[in-house]
Amino acid sequence: MLPYRSFSVHDPKERIIHSAEVCDRVVHQALVSTIEPLFEKFFIDDSFSCRLNKGSHAGVDRLNKFIKKVTKNGRTKAYVLKCDIRKFFDSIDHLILLKIIEKYVQDEKTIWLIKSIILGFEKSSGKGLPLGNVTSQLFGNIYMHVFDHYVKHNLKIKYYVRYCDDFVLVNTNKRYLEDLIPKMDNFLQKELLLKIHPNKISLRKVSQGIDFLGYVIFPHHKILRTSTKQRILKKWKSGLNEAQQNSYLGVLVHAKSFKIRQSLQIAKKA
């Protein structure tokens, strides 16, 4: 096992972060810089999270674009199926991940380094990646790109967006989306030893608003999720430096947020 520094964060739920030592993090970053361009050639356009110009805002914008297209700008009824993977990073199988990587990386020294990083951490026997490593984000995308291609090329799903282990599909046919759930879950279990979280499957009309990555998306606008607004207000009132304030204001720019911006201005003056 490689040495890791462990600590918990609450944003909003508690997560245990395992961070490598500084010297190891430098190596991890160098490895990502070297192999990420290779995998970018094979990633689909509709996968987001820890990719250049493909952060959470880009993921929300892509889903919003798909919703507008499928609903014909709100004139047609449509549905969004949203799922996520149960204990994603804890469940990633080391041998399956290495097998996927070895299809694309042939250099023996690079493979040796990748094996050292992957096998140097376990959440359970032969499984798990540490949340605090930059390599884990890339490895997670590599692992899930197998599923991405199954969805796009085997299931022929046109309107699909994935952000890390959260994924959404848009269609006008509710029953069609319902029938996809066991197909996707069977593939995940068989090929990647992952499971769709049974309590986090959501199938909603677009008109009800789609909760995704901190926003609630409607055909003609986006608003912040209520819990996100409450968290921002709480942190703002607790005292933030200018950079932190600008970061939260940047989140608000992407949504219909006049009232909460007023509240923040009032809190700032108080």
Side-chain angles (χ1 to χ4, degrees), residues 129-172:
L129 295 177
L131 282 177
N133 280 2
V134 65
T135 49
S136 296
Q137 306 299 327
L138 175 58
F139 293 157
N141 275 331
I142 292 170
Y143 204 73
M144 284 298 288
H145 104 280
V146 176
F147 178 69
D148 294 338
H149 283 273
Y150 168 73
V151 170
K152 296 293 288 184
H153 303 303
N154 292 76
L155 296 180
K156 309 292 184 184
I157 305 302
K158 190 172 183 180
Y159 302 110
Y160 162 84
V161 177
R162 179 179 63 81
Y163 186 92
C164 192
D165 61 323
D166 293 330
F167 56 93
V168 291
L169 302 87
V170 189
N171 199 276
T172 56

Side-chain angles (χ1 to χ4, degrees), residues 236-237 259-270:
W236 192 279
K237 290 177 180 178
K259 288 185 178 180
I260 185 174
R261 282 188 279 115
Q262 277 191 320
S263 298
L264 294 181
Q265 289 299 324
I266 293 170
K268 188 175 183 179
K269 293 176 183 178

Side-chain angles (χ1 to χ4, degrees), residues 63-74:
L63 177 57
N64 195 28
K65 177 182 176 182
F66 285 168
I67 285 173
K68 287 180 177 179
K69 194 165 186 177
V70 175
T71 64
K72 298 178 181 178
N73 285 323

Side-chain angles (χ1 to χ4, degrees), residues 245-263:
Q245 288 180 359
N246 289 336
S247 176
Y248 281 119
L249 290 173
V251 171
L252 299 177
V253 166
H254 294 269
K256 189 176 180 180
S257 56
F258 177 73
K259 288 185 178 180
I260 185 174
R261 282 188 279 115
Q262 277 191 320
S263 298

